[in-house]
Amino acid sequence: MDGGDGTVRLGALNLKAGRGLDLDPDVSVSSPVTRQKAAAAKQFIENHYKNYLQGLQERKERRRALQRRAEEAQISSEEQEEMMRNLERRETEYMRLQRRKIGIDDFEQLTVIGKGAFGEVRLCRAKSTGEIFAMKKLKKSEMLSRGQVEHVRSERNLLAEVDSRCIVKMFYSFQDSDFLYLIMEYLPGGDIMTLLMREDILSEDVARFYVAESILAIHSIHQHNYIHRDIKPDNLILDRNGHLKLSDFGLCKPLDGKYSTILLEDEDLTSMESTNEAEVQSRSERAPWLMPKEQLQQWKRNRRALAYSTVGTLDYMAPEVLLKKGYGMECDWWSLGAIMYEMLIGYPPFCSDDPRITCRKIINWRTCLKFPEEPKVSAEAKDLICHLLCDVETRLGTRGVEELKVSTFNDI
């Protein structure tokens, strides 16, 4: 029934133009159960249309961003049209999959293959096809309490936009009352962290291959204006043929509050270089560099547990990120330099069992970046590492990926 104020009355519900559903508080005939159900229906309808409109807006923004990048790159109109068609195809496929209402009951859960700060990763089998996937199972209460919802959305946006053989693919996402599920491509080769734990160090030829593939993978997301911010060995995954793919976009943890408390309490990080140089220098005179041998072995034993903890690791983080200065895509190239060092030396360049010391070493990289006498590393490899672990202004990759591809160590 239509009221004089433009309100449409449907039983105990009021529908007003330009507003959501209003529950009539004066309806005495409604029981508490009825009012509760009406409130739930109101919330469901509002959430449905809010999510629909938000998804529509995000698709428009992704299309505009792609058009802008294509114009800036001065791509031909034919190539631009092809890029738009590819984006629309991926968006349509994603929406089609979403409408299928895939849920946890469509998969047989198998063995756990990894654990993280917010959940676990396990193998699963699609009951309809028998296809094997990796299921990332994330506890929603933890994600909400630690402000990770936007990071999940970032990952979904990147995976919808970037179509690259260098990126781990996501096929489905859904949720229940307790968990968020991401059904990902399963890569049976394990991660680079596992490889390094098994091999300790890699030959320069093997390291060159993985560094080159890492450059291509990182560049593939930089092309779409994404910064990974969490490049580390356990986010570099190997497929069945030994090729490398990049994972964990948007789920990377920002600098944790625990670190902020530990590192910044009663200390000024920006003045570390002057106030702590003597302390750092005295540590650097120990062998192996900056860390007693027993502590180094302990760090290696604990590295997987640390990677799975809510604290995580600072070992691969760029100084400008630690100092919370403005930073760009260059921070990912620093992380690659730290990983390359570990591949050839056996441990990251600034590792410590104390995150405060790790932070100080990274910020004082000019003093702390050293190469031990053993194992031997070529001059070309040292040169590339030193041009990645350096100031942003002189860091390779700052002026484009080509200068990394043609370095004397890579020559991709």
Side-chain angles (χ1 to χ4, degrees):
M1 185 175 181
D2 193 352
D5 60 351
T7 301
V8 179
R9 296 182 60 83
L10 297 174
L13 298 176
N14 294 336
L15 292 174
K16 292 188 177 181
R19 295 177 56 182
L21 296 173
D22 283 344
L23 293 178
D24 191 339
D26 300 326
V27 181
S28 57
V29 295
S30 300
S31 68
V33 173
T34 301
R35 287 195 294 271
Q36 186 177 16
K37 289 181 178 179
K42 169 182 178 287
Q43 190 66 52
F44 175 82
I45 294 170
E46 289 181 347
N47 287 344
H48 172 78
Y49 283 103
K50 179 182 177 182
N51 292 337
Y52 171 79
L53 293 173
Q54 182 176 345
L56 181 63
Q57 183 63 29
E58 288 177 353
R59 290 195 296 276
K60 288 180 178 178
E61 288 175 359
R62 283 193 290 272
R63 182 180 178 85
R64 283 195 293 267
L66 189 59
Q67 286 176 324
R68 187 170 58 252
R69 287 195 296 273
E71 290 169 0
E72 290 172 354
Q74 297 182 340
I75 295 174
S76 68
S77 57
E78 293 80 7
E79 290 177 304
Q80 287 188 35
E81 290 175 5
E82 182 62 25
M83 290 171 65
M84 292 303 158
R85 283 195 292 269
N86 286 337
L87 177 62
E88 290 171 3
R89 175 179 52 79
R90 293 194 297 273
E91 294 280 10
T92 301
E93 178 66 11
Y94 176 80
M95 289 188 290
R96 185 184 67 80
L97 293 175
Q98 290 294 89
R99 287 195 294 270
R100 287 177 59 190
K101 300 295 182 185
I102 296 291
I104 189 63
D105 292 336
D106 293 296
F107 298 91
E108 178 187 356
Q109 298 187 51
L110 306 174
T111 184
V112 174
I113 57 174
K115 293 185 178 180
F118 306 106
E120 65 183 21
V121 181
R122 64 167 66 229
L123 284 180
C124 66
R125 180 185 290 113
K127 293 179 180 178
S128 59
T129 65
E131 191 174 357
I132 298 294
F133 296 98
M135 174 188 288
K136 190 180 291 186
K137 182 178 178 181
L138 305 166
K139 194 165 182 61
K140 289 162 70 172
S141 59
E142 283 293 315
M143 301 290 288
L144 287 168
S145 66
R146 295 173 63 83
Q148 296 295 302
V149 175
E150 285 303 316
H151 298 298
V152 178
R153 185 171 287 116
S154 294
E155 178 161 30
R156 178 261 173 267
N157 287 344
L158 184 144
L159 292 171
E161 183 177 332
V162 180
D163 185 14
S164 170
R165 64 174 182 81
C166 303
I167 302 300
V168 176
K169 288 180 170 56
M170 181 179 72
F171 295 97
Y172 310 100
S173 64
F174 50 86
Q175 58 185 308
D176 58 24
S177 58
D178 296 316
F179 295 97
L180 171 67
Y181 302 90
L182 303 178
I183 305 300
M184 315 288 291
E185 175 184 14
Y186 170 56
L187 302 178
D191 55 36
I192 293 295
M193 179 174 68
T194 302
L195 178 67
L196 292 175
M197 291 176 69
R198 184 174 67 242
E199 302 293 333
D200 196 33
I201 62 172
L202 306 180
S203 70
E204 289 201 8
D205 284 341
V206 173
R208 181 180 293 107
F209 173 77
Y210 288 129
V211 168
E213 294 223 325
S214 298
I215 290 171
L216 297 177
I218 294 169
H219 178 56
S220 70
I221 64 169
H222 286 182
Q223 284 180 300
H224 292 264
N225 288 334
Y226 284 95
I227 308 172
H228 194 288
R229 296 190 305 159
D230 199 31
I231 304 290
K232 55 188 179 183
D234 36 321
N235 286 340
L236 301 174
I237 317 295
L238 303 177
D239 67 13
R240 65 178 68 254
N241 298 314
H243 289 289
L244 182 146
K245 296 194 178 191
L246 190 56
S247 72
D248 275 349
F249 314 96
L251 294 179
C252 51
K253 297 182 288 294
L255 191 60
D256 195 282
K258 294 180 181 178
Y259 283 137
S260 301
T261 302
I262 293 173
L263 297 170
L264 303 180
E265 187 175 15
D266 300 325
E267 295 181 294
D268 179 9
L269 284 177
T270 58
S271 62
M272 283 274 180
E273 275 193 61
S274 58
T275 58
N276 291 289
E277 193 166 323
E279 177 186 349
V280 173
Q281 183 64 42
S282 66
R283 290 178 179 273
S284 69
E285 292 168 0
R286 300 175 183 173
W289 300 112
L290 300 176
M291 207 171 181
K293 190 170 184 178
E294 316 79 57
Q295 285 182 296
L296 185 59
Q297 293 304 318
Q298 182 68 26
W299 178 89
K300 289 186 176 184
R301 286 194 293 270
N302 292 340
R303 65 177 304 178
R304 186 171 291 278
L306 180 62
Y308 288 162
S309 73
T310 56
V311 175
T313 176
L314 294 172
D315 289 307
Y316 313 96
M317 194 171 289
E320 64 266 23
V321 179
L322 277 177
L323 291 170
K324 298 185 178 180
K325 295 180 177 179
Y327 59 86
M329 298 174 182
E330 303 82 16
C331 69
D332 287 341
W333 300 125
W334 171 286
S335 301
L336 180 62
I339 293 171
M340 179 179 170
Y341 182 104
E342 183 177 358
M343 287 178 175
L344 299 176
I345 303 298
Y347 49 88
F350 310 107
C351 72
S352 171
D353 53 3
D354 184 341
R356 292 171 298 184
I357 302 302
T358 300
C359 184
R360 291 176 183 175
K361 292 176 181 177
I362 293 172
I363 293 165
N364 289 280
W365 58 267
R366 291 178 182 82
T367 302
C368 296
L369 178 58
K370 297 181 180 293
F371 293 86
E373 292 183 4
E374 293 292 338
K376 298 292 184 184
V377 177
S378 71
E380 292 80 9
K382 286 182 181 179
D383 182 71
L384 177 55
I385 291 171
C386 290
H387 280 88
L388 290 171
L389 301 178
C390 61
D391 284 325
V392 172
E393 292 75 18
T394 56
R395 193 177 303 163
L396 287 181
T398 299
R399 289 157 297 280
V401 72
E402 291 304 319
E403 58 186 6
L404 274 166
K405 290 183 177 180
V406 299
S407 70
T408 54
F409 183 77
N410 286 317
D411 195 18
I412 298 175

